[in-house]
């Protein structure tokens, strides 16, 4: 941001004549109000509300979609192994179900190990270089894991660990980058839009797998090999698109390849409107300070958020790997089960957007999270009750609705945490902790379903019921803590926490 500060300062000296050339004078005259801000050198910067809205729409259509597409690629590469399971993956690689679960744990462990270090590097290098490098790295691993057929346990575990290490930091890096481009009241819906990439991939993966797995035998390859290769190559393409197009920052909105989406004046407004909303986003140095790291890790207010994530998202990781297999066990065709598993993902896709929009509209994130988790808890109970049922359509319906509500609250929880961070560096580490919780959930969720518990998974569903119940308790605690803290803050005349 040191360069950013100089850039804004230079931009702020734009003459009135040049501004007039950029802006439509009639539009300014007819605007209901104008927004003024003074930069570090005392130069006044003025823009209209309509001009700002137009710029936000421009971010929504030119910057945010790039992050969404890359998240889409990440989820394809992370989740397609669940589809591979229906195409004799275990038998052809030469591993057991227990060993498969270990590989899934290593994926999550790799992400957890480098989550915080990755975001510290991001803070120093910026998103354009670091995120682009990550996408190319995990895309390469995802592609070459297609060649572990017949290689046994070692190569399987190695590729899962490498995939996790290379993916680590991408999700919180994207979340942190969004906070640098948008104001606080705009972030919840944009977090939700960002997670569209994840959920759209989950919705499409079953349908894509249904088609790709039918390629079994072409060039002597299995269907799951084609699945890994094609989706991995798509990720590599996304990496090059990111490096070519994604702007470095609001103050320097030029990609590494020199592509520029915003003019000098637009850059000036983009930077100042965010800093005017939240001065803590000013980045005076390129490193996260030790004080910021310490403040984040000793922030006890994050604990209920973290626990809700770990406990509530663990079953989501279980279902990510086992939903198609579970549906097939109800009595449906094994390839058709992949397509059927996408139904819940499409529902989750819609609910995720709805929750993000409502969170920004009503500014009540905690209540919305509580509502989603309560519904999630109710349908999880339904799944546990129906484990012995022979009504496959009823079981599929209850499972589908429970999967729809397993994560629409997740992005809103992340924005809630980000809004209550006190500095840019603390916000970066907070986002890393948030996603670390989701991947610790993966370590737990990967071992919930065991071979000896199949096909009804009586013990597994009991464990899931306990985890979701504890997650609900954590959400209640999170809401209570901010309600009590805000009562205290009001008496002290201090700024209140977002809830």
């Amino acid at each position: 941001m040191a360069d950013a500060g100089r850039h804004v300062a230079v931009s702020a000296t734009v003459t009135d004549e040049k501004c007039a050339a950029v802006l439509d004078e009639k539009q300014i005259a007819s605007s209901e109000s104008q927004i003024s801000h003074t930069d570090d050198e005392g130069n006044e910067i003025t823009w209209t509300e309509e001009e700002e809205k137009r710029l936000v729409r421009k971010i929504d259509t030119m910057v945010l979609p790039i992050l969404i597409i890359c998240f889409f690629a990440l989820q394809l590469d992370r989740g397609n192994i669940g589809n591979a399971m229906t195409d004799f993956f275990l038998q052809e690689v030469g591993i057991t179900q227990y060993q498969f679960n270990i590989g899934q744990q290593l994926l999550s462990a790799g992400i957890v190990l480098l989550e915080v270090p990755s975001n510290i590097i991001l803070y120093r290098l910026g998103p354009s270089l670091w995120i682009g490098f990550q996408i190319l790295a995990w895309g390469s691993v995802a592609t070459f894991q297609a060649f572990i057929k017949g290689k046994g346990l070692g190569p399987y575990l190695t590729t899962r660990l490498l995939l996790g290490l290379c993916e680590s930091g991408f999700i919180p890096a994207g979340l942190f980058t969004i906070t640098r481009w948008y104001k606080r009241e705009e972030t919840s819906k944009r977090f939700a839009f960002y997670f569209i990439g994840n959920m759209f991939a989950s919705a499409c993966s079953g349908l894509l797998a249904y088609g790709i797995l039918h390629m079994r035998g072409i060039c002597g390859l299995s269907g799951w090999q084609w699945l890994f290769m094609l989706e991995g190559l798509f990720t590599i393409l996304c990496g090059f698109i990111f490096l070519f197009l994604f702007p470095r920052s609001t103050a320097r909105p030029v990609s590494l390849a020199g592509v520029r989406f915003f003019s000098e004046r637009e850059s000036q407004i983009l930077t100042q409107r965010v800093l005017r909303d939240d001065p803590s986003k000013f980045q005076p140095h390129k490193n996260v300070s030790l004080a910021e790291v310490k403040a984040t890790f000793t922030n006890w207010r994050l604990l209920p958020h973290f626990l809700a994530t770990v406990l509530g998202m663990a079953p989501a990781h279980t279902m990510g790997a086992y939903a198609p297999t579970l549906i097939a066990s109800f009595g449906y065709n094994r390839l058709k089960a992949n397509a059927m598993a996408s139904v819940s993902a499409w529902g989750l896709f819609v609910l995720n957007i709805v929750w993000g929009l409502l969170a920004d509209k009503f500014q009540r994130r905690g209540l919305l999270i509580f509502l989603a988790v309560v519904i999630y808890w109710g349908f999880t109970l339904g799944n546990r009750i129906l484990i012995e049922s022979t009504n496959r359509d009823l079981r599929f319906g209850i499972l589908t609705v429970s999967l729809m509500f397993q994560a629409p609250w997740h992005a809103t929880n992340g924005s809630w945490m980000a809004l209550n961070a006190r500095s840019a560096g603390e916000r970066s580490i907070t986002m890393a902790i948030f996603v670390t919780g989701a991947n610790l959930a993966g370590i737990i969720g990967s071992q919930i379903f065991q071979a000896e518990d199949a096909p009804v998974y009586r013990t597994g569903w009991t464990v899931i019921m306990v985890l979701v119940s504890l997650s609900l308790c954590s959400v209640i605690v999170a809401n209570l803590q901010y309600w009590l803290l805000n009562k205290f803050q009001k008496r002290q005349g201090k700024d209140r926490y977002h809830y």
Side-chain angles (χ1 to χ4, degrees), residues 26-35 47-50 53:
K26 293 181 180 180
Q27 185 178 41
I28 295 177
S30 62
S31 176
E32 293 183 1
S33 62
Q34 293 188 347
I35 303 168
W47 64 89
T48 67
E49 289 184 0
E50 181 55 38
K53 290 178 182 177

Side-chain angles (χ1 to χ4, degrees), residues 1-13 39 249-254 260 262-265 267-268 271:
M1 284 295 291
D3 290 338
R6 290 194 296 271
H7 184 80
V8 172
V10 171
S11 300
T13 61
D39 67 11
S249 67
T250 57
R252 195 181 180 188
V254 183
R260 186 183 188 96
F262 302 95
S263 68
E264 293 289 329
R265 173 171 172 77
S267 168
Q268 173 184 351
T271 302

Side-chain angles (χ1 to χ4, degrees), residues 151-314:
K151 304 296 184 182
L153 182 61
Y156 165 69
L157 295 182
T158 300
T159 53
R160 298 314 284 177
L161 177 61
L162 283 174
L163 192 62
L165 292 171
C166 293
E167 288 180 352
S168 64
F170 171 80
I171 299 175
L175 295 172
F176 176 73
T177 302
I178 288 170
T179 67
R180 309 294 287 181
W181 284 84
Y182 292 98
K183 297 195 293 188
R184 286 174 294 187
E185 68 268 15
E186 299 167 345
T187 57
S188 291
K189 65 172 72 72
R190 269 72 187 195
F191 274 26
F193 292 157
Y194 178 54
F195 273 90
I196 282 175
N198 173 288
M199 294 168 186
F200 188 57
S202 297
C204 291
S205 61
L207 301 175
L208 290 172
Y210 179 74
I212 295 173
L213 292 179
H214 279 92
M215 295 176 68
R216 171 175 281 272
I218 297 178
C219 297
L221 299 176
S222 299
W224 62 265
Q225 290 181 287
W226 281 111
L227 187 69
F228 288 156
M229 277 196 296
L230 293 177
E231 293 183 353
L233 289 172
F234 171 75
T235 298
I236 293 174
L237 175 63
C238 288
F240 283 115
I241 291 173
F242 186 93
L243 289 170
F244 186 77
L245 294 178
F246 199 80
R248 300 184 185 189
S249 67
T250 57
R252 195 181 180 188
V254 183
S255 74
L256 293 172
V259 177
R260 186 183 188 96
F261 290 141
F262 302 95
S263 68
E264 293 289 329
R265 173 171 172 77
E266 288 174 332
S267 168
Q268 173 184 351
I269 296 171
L270 287 172
T271 302
Q272 290 302 326
R273 80 181 199 96
V274 171
L275 296 181
R276 181 174 179 268
D277 171 70
D278 184 1
S280 74
K281 292 180 182 178
F282 175 62
Q283 186 180 354
H285 49 76
K286 288 287 187 178
N287 296 299
V288 178
S289 69
L290 182 60
E292 288 173 317
V293 174
K294 182 179 178 181
T296 306
F297 279 99
T298 57
N299 183 359
W300 55 267
R301 292 180 298 276
L302 295 179
L303 186 58
H305 293 281
F306 182 78
L307 289 176
T309 300
V310 173
L311 298 167
M313 294 301 293

Side-chain angles (χ1 to χ4, degrees), residues 133 135 265:
F133 166 77
I135 298 169
R265 173 171 172 77

Side-chain angles (χ1 to χ4, degrees), residues 83-121:
N83 305 116
M85 284 269 285
T86 66
D87 192 49
F88 313 110
F89 176 79
L90 299 184
Q91 298 90 326
E92 293 185 355
V93 173
I95 59 174
T96 66
Q97 183 175 338
Y98 176 76
Q99 291 168 337
F100 170 83
N101 290 344
I102 293 294
Q104 291 298 86
Q105 286 183 309
L106 283 177
L107 172 78
S108 297
I111 296 172
V112 169
L113 283 173
L114 295 185
E115 200 80 84
V116 173
S118 176
N119 275 264
I120 292 175
I121 296 173

